[in-house]
Amino acid sequence: MPANKKLLFLPGDGIGPEVMRQVRRVIDWLDRKRNITFDVTEGLVGGAAIDAYGVPLKDETLADALAADAVMLGAVGGPKWDNPSDYTKRPEAGLLSLRKELGLFANLRPAVVFDALVDASTLKPEVIKGLDIMIVRELTGGVYFGEPRGITDIGNGERRGVNTQVYTTSEIRRVARVAFELARKRNNKLHSMEKANVMESGLLWRQEVTKLHQEEFSDVTLEHMYADNGAMQLLKNPKQFDVIVTDNLFGDILSDEAAMMTGSLGMLPSASLGAPDANGQRKALYEPVHGSAPDIAGRDLANPCATLLSFAMCLRYSFNMDEEAKLLERSVQNVLSGGMRTADIMAPGMARCSTTVMGDSILRELEKIAS
């Protein structure tokens, strides 16, 4: 295994640097104990980059991202940089530029309910205990990017807002392929969600996913479901699902719904993947689902688990290090089962701890189960 695995760290804003610090500690542990070395470069993005350079992502940082095997992101944004009059200078514009320039079209959002946190969900324990689903959201097409778009004056005091939902064959097939490949590595079952009954783009989506299934993935069980029914079924019987693939708009909604079913955004990782190159390597960005939480920034209160689990996804999908990914995931689960809790997941009878202490506990567990 080559030693020069290139990682770009972009801690970002708010609690980003604090939670990313815990990933650094795990990387140091892998170097010392498993002889796995990463070349880590660090840069600024979001509000931190605006403060330092006047832009949310400078060209040199983008070049570093393009040269890296994977990018680890903390979080971006905060009230300090809210400036709706100039969208290009908002922290989030840096993240969107990264996604666009790296060609990150497939967003992977796992929704996993840890046994120790089953009571944190608003759903009944018997409904969500053991839940482990993966939502694959198309990230660079659909209604968020389609043309024409805009608000126009149509006279008589009326205005019209237009957004266009548009997908092409290649856009659908590439994200569906990612979902089928994931399904093969999990439980060989895929649900594709759209609105083929009322939207031509949804009909095309269903046709292309079906065609790809017949051509390349007939061993995977494929089921189609209208997205509104999918939203209901996620609440009614979520364990019927394993991998779900859907478009940008529906994926935005369904992944947030699935996230809240688990009880805490502080526990949820994500990955955004690009197309494979000639060597089968993909550009990739890994980040927690939670935001920058400026209200607790710098106070050592943030939950680092989502960022650590994002790094586990990085190990698995960018470096094919499934054993180490499982080791880290198991360590997080064991620490939670032992009763350690940061403030966001605190429950009666548990031991409240800081960001650093949570990191300490996970490192000790890594040491224990790896020996």
Side-chain angles (χ1 to χ4, degrees):
M1 185 180 294
N4 59 334
K5 294 176 285 296
K6 295 180 180 178
L7 269 177
L8 174 63
F9 268 39
L10 298 175
D13 307 318
I15 62 173
E18 297 168 70
V19 293
M20 289 286 277
R21 202 169 298 129
Q22 305 309 313
V23 178
R24 281 273 196 177
R25 298 176 72 191
V26 171
I27 287 175
D28 291 343
W29 183 88
L30 289 169
D31 188 11
R32 293 194 316 270
K33 300 294 186 177
R34 309 282 282 193
N35 199 29
I36 297 170
T37 303
F38 292 87
D39 291 340
V40 180
T41 304
E42 189 161 313
L44 300 180
V45 70
I50 291 171
D51 287 349
Y53 312 122
V55 291
L57 180 72
K58 69 173 185 174
D59 291 343
E60 292 84 351
T61 307
L62 176 58
D64 288 340
L66 289 165
D69 295 313
V71 178
M72 284 293 305
L73 180 78
V76 297
K80 176 181 178 182
W81 304 284
D82 282 346
N83 183 17
S85 63
D86 188 354
Y87 182 78
T88 64
K89 295 292 178 66
R90 294 191 60 166
E92 294 79 8
L95 175 56
L96 293 176
S97 294
L98 275 172
R99 288 175 176 169
K100 179 182 177 182
E101 298 302 325
L102 295 177
L104 307 178
F105 64 86
N107 182 229
L108 277 55
R109 287 273 296 266
V112 177
V113 175
F114 291 93
D115 287 347
L117 297 179
V118 70
D119 291 328
S121 175
T122 55
L123 299 185
K124 296 176 180 178
E126 59 267 27
V127 174
I128 51 98
K129 183 177 174 61
L131 182 69
D132 181 355
I133 63 178
M134 176 72 77
I135 296 180
V136 181
R137 167 191 172 189
E138 200 288 322
L139 200 59
T140 58
V143 74
Y144 293 163
F145 295 92
E147 296 287 347
R149 62 184 297 156
I151 299 174
T152 57
D153 190 330
I154 59 174
N156 298 319
E158 291 283 315
R159 295 193 300 162
R160 179 171 57 206
V162 174
N163 292 90
T164 304
Q165 168 79 345
V166 56
Y167 272 106
T168 63
T169 295
S170 57
E171 288 175 321
I172 296 166
R173 286 174 68 94
R174 68 181 183 177
V175 73
R177 181 172 282 107
V178 169
F180 277 120
E181 290 171 350
L182 278 170
R184 271 184 176 163
K185 294 176 181 178
R186 290 169 57 98
N187 293 313
N188 237 39
K189 183 170 69 172
L190 176 65
H191 280 81
S192 176
M193 296 189 185
E194 26 60 13
K195 287 288 287 180
N197 55 336
V198 292
M199 298 172 67
E200 283 78 7
S201 60
L203 179 58
L204 179 68
W205 184 284
R206 181 172 292 211
Q207 291 172 344
E208 293 297 340
V209 171
T210 300
K211 187 177 178 183
L212 182 63
H213 176 245
Q214 293 168 345
E215 291 172 353
E216 299 181 31
F217 297 97
S218 58
D219 56 305
V220 177
T221 299
L222 171 65
E223 295 184 31
H224 299 281
M225 187 175 284
Y226 297 140
D228 51 346
N229 183 37
M232 291 190 293
Q233 294 295 328
L234 272 171
L235 295 177
K236 180 181 178 182
N237 180 22
K239 284 185 281 189
Q240 69 183 286
F241 301 113
D242 186 53
V243 179
I244 297 170
V245 64
T246 189
D247 73 12
N248 205 342
L249 174 61
F250 296 139
D252 194 353
I253 296 166
L254 292 170
S255 60
D256 279 359
E257 179 188 6
M260 288 316 301
M261 288 160 49
T262 69
S264 174
L265 285 175
M267 292 299 303
L268 297 174
S270 77
S272 298
L273 307 179
D277 61 19
N279 299 316
Q281 298 298 308
R282 299 176 182 271
K283 297 298 181 188
L285 183 146
Y286 301 90
E287 59 179 316
V289 171
H290 63 68
S292 62
D295 55 319
I296 61 168
R299 297 169 59 190
D300 202 29
L301 296 175
N303 185 348
C305 291
T307 307
L308 289 168
L309 293 170
S310 296
F311 181 59
M313 294 183 78
C314 176
L315 293 172
R316 177 173 289 116
Y317 297 122
S318 284
F319 301 112
N320 296 313
M321 295 168 59
D322 197 55
E323 180 184 349
E324 285 74 20
K326 288 179 178 176
L327 194 65
L328 180 52
E329 290 163 348
R330 186 177 158 202
S331 297
V332 171
Q333 185 155 353
N334 288 357
V335 167
L336 294 172
S337 296
M340 298 295 286
R341 299 286 189 275
T342 45
D344 61 305
I345 53 173
M346 187 57 189
M350 300 295 108
R352 182 166 176 167
C353 68
S354 65
T355 309
T356 303
V357 171
M358 180 63 84
D360 292 341
S361 303
I362 291 168
L363 284 169
R364 279 196 299 269
E365 192 64 25
L366 270 172
E367 190 74 33
K368 178 181 173 183
I369 63 179
S371 60

